[in-house]
Amino acid sequence: MITELTLKNFKSFVERTIAFSPLTVLTGMNGSGKSSVIQAIRMVQKSCGGGYGDPRLDDHVLPNKLKSKLTKENWYSLILKKDSKNYSTEVNGIESESYGFVPDDGKRESDLDCISYLSADRLGPQNHLPAGNMNEISGVGNYGEYVIAFLDKFQYSKVPERLRLNQEDENLFDNTNAWLSVISKGTILRYDKNQSQNVFYPFYDGIVPTETGYGISFTLPVIVSLLYAGEKNPERIIMIENPESHLHPAAQTEIGKLIALAAANGKQVIIETHSDHIMDGIRIVAKQEKIDAHDVKFHFFRRDSFEEETRVETPELYQDGKLSFWPEGFFDQGLKDKAFLARKM
């Protein structure tokens, strides 16, 4: 399990250590630095794994754009602690178009292979999805592009009881449809495969995805990843950006519950979200005592201007679902709006 991440001179952080639990929720204002935390974990994973020491991700721009503008130093470092081991990446000698890096002491690819990532920029409705090399499929893909291929390969894998909506349904495929039906009432996923073109054609109730709502397609890889995470690879770490994308409030709450249940089943889940309904779903599961409240961390990121460093506030979750304190701006906009609407003008 990842227990902490230390960022030095990185983007909006001069020096900050972020603690992690089995379930860690990153929230906050736009541009406050929460996405940078997930980005940093991915960079350490790449640098200490198959990236030959180079931490930059495919979508990165010039090296000097990652260094904090709040310090005059020309280096940054990222230190990830997992299972009492430190994995570090240091980038130095940063100029506008050049940099150097200090590789971690020894390749330990397998130690970080367990980290998977699902981007906020995942695919929307697609009438066909790649099958890829089925022998090598081990996840739904960063953008959900292999979700049908993954589901086809592991459709009969057993889903743990606490993640099932119907205890009689044991396999991944049936449980995926059960959770999809919660998101969009009565929705049933089916698919065909075109062997010659090596693609899958998904259908929802016999209708092609582009003729259905965005929420179903955006949520399918989230559901599959969380359900499968409960059965295979006990050290699996899942990072998901905006699991609530294109979902109505009730469905967001249900996905929050699934996130909490997956974490309670022994997997580590790290999410970035703007949804109070996702948070409420997690709090409900805590109140139902289906997850230990101590296994949940809510981190609220705030940055009042681009001239300031990111600050992080971490209210404690109690077992009754309540929080130790409520930071200003922490999912309180609904209350503010209701108070304004109740006023006499």
Side-chain angles (χ1 to χ4, degrees):
M1 185 178 83
I2 294 173
T3 54
E4 65 180 37
L5 173 71
T6 299
L7 309 102
K8 297 181 179 180
N9 301 331
F10 182 72
K11 299 182 77 172
S12 62
F13 300 92
V14 174
E15 183 168 357
R16 174 74 62 176
T17 296
I18 309 293
F20 291 83
S21 289
L23 173 54
T24 304
V25 181
L26 312 175
T27 72
M29 307 297 182
N30 296 105
S32 60
K34 56 190 182 300
S35 296
S36 299
V37 171
I38 290 179
Q39 184 183 57
I41 294 173
R42 294 180 64 213
M43 290 175 67
V44 174
Q45 181 187 27
K46 180 175 182 291
S47 178
C48 296
Y52 305 102
D54 189 340
R56 289 188 302 163
L57 304 175
D58 292 340
D59 55 353
H60 277 164
V61 289
L62 298 176
N64 66 335
K65 300 300 182 183
L66 299 176
K67 189 196 76 67
S68 175
K69 300 296 189 294
L70 304 174
T71 173
K72 295 181 179 180
E73 304 286 353
N74 73 337
W75 61 272
Y76 66 81
S77 72
L78 310 170
I79 305 171
L80 182 71
K81 179 175 284 189
K82 176 183 176 291
D83 301 330
S84 301
K85 293 181 182 179
N86 284 343
Y87 302 84
S88 62
T89 294
E90 182 177 324
V91 176
N92 55 34
I94 298 173
E95 303 296 340
S96 62
E97 298 184 8
S98 64
Y99 67 99
F101 59 82
V102 180
D104 194 76
D105 55 349
K107 298 287 184 183
R108 293 175 286 197
E109 292 96 336
S110 60
D111 290 352
L112 299 181
D113 280 350
C114 62
I115 303 174
S116 64
Y117 163 71
L118 195 52
S119 172
D121 193 28
R122 52 191 176 272
L123 297 179
Q126 304 287 318
N127 289 344
H128 59 84
L129 290 168
N133 184 335
M134 294 296 283
N135 292 326
E136 297 180 358
I137 294 291
S138 60
V140 302
N142 290 351
Y143 306 100
E145 66 272 29
Y146 294 116
V147 63
I148 301 298
F150 183 86
L151 189 56
D152 183 71
K153 181 176 181 178
F154 297 104
Q155 60 182 299
Y156 298 114
S157 65
K158 190 174 181 179
V159 172
E161 291 185 9
R162 76 172 72 199
L163 302 183
R164 302 177 199 166
L165 293 174
N166 182 348
Q167 292 303 311
E168 295 180 359
D169 295 331
E170 294 187 349
N171 66 61
L172 179 61
F173 185 80
D174 288 341
N175 278 276
T176 296
N177 269 322
W179 279 97
L180 275 178
S181 185
V182 169
I183 300 307
S184 179
K185 190 172 180 61
T187 295
I188 299 295
L189 167 69
R190 296 286 184 265
Y191 58 85
D192 296 325
K193 184 176 182 180
N194 186 316
Q195 295 284 356
S196 63
Q197 297 184 17
N198 202 35
V199 297
F200 286 98
Y201 295 97
F203 302 91
Y204 300 109
D205 302 316
I207 303 172
V208 296
T210 53
E211 297 299 324
T212 63
Y214 273 65
I216 299 173
S217 295
F218 266 84
T219 309
L220 177 62
V222 175
I223 292 173
V224 172
S225 296
L226 291 169
L227 290 176
Y228 184 74
E231 186 270 339
K232 185 79 171 178
N233 190 347
E235 296 184 353
R236 198 73 182 169
I237 299 169
I238 306 169
M239 301 191 298
I240 306 174
E241 293 178 328
N242 302 132
E244 72 273 10
S245 292
H246 296 282
L247 291 180
H248 62 84
Q252 292 180 33
T253 298
E254 294 303 319
I255 290 297
K257 292 177 183 178
L258 178 57
I259 288 168
L261 292 172
N265 200 63
K267 313 306 167 187
Q268 184 171 23
V269 185
I270 301 168
I271 66 167
E272 178 207 349
T273 182
H274 293 278
S275 170
D276 53 343
H277 306 294
I278 290 283
M279 186 181 77
D280 288 347
I282 295 169
R283 294 168 64 200
I284 288 170
V285 172
K287 186 168 185 175
Q288 293 172 332
E289 299 187 347
K290 294 180 180 179
I291 188 172
D292 190 325
H294 294 100
D295 288 340
V296 181
K297 282 194 186 302
F298 290 112
H299 290 309
F300 177 68
F301 292 68
R302 67 178 310 134
R303 191 181 183 199
D304 295 332
S305 79
F306 287 112
E307 306 303 319
E308 295 183 10
E309 182 183 7
T310 291
R311 291 177 288 149
V312 182
E313 297 178 83
T314 307
E316 180 182 355
L317 177 65
Y318 298 135
Q319 200 63 59
D320 63 1
K322 296 180 180 178
L323 298 175
S324 57
F325 68 98
W326 208 273
E328 174 70 22
F330 182 68
F331 297 128
D332 56 1
Q333 192 59 44
L335 293 175
K336 292 178 179 178
D337 291 345
K338 288 182 177 64
F340 180 83
L341 291 169
R343 286 165 44 190
K344 293 182 177 180
M345 301 300 291

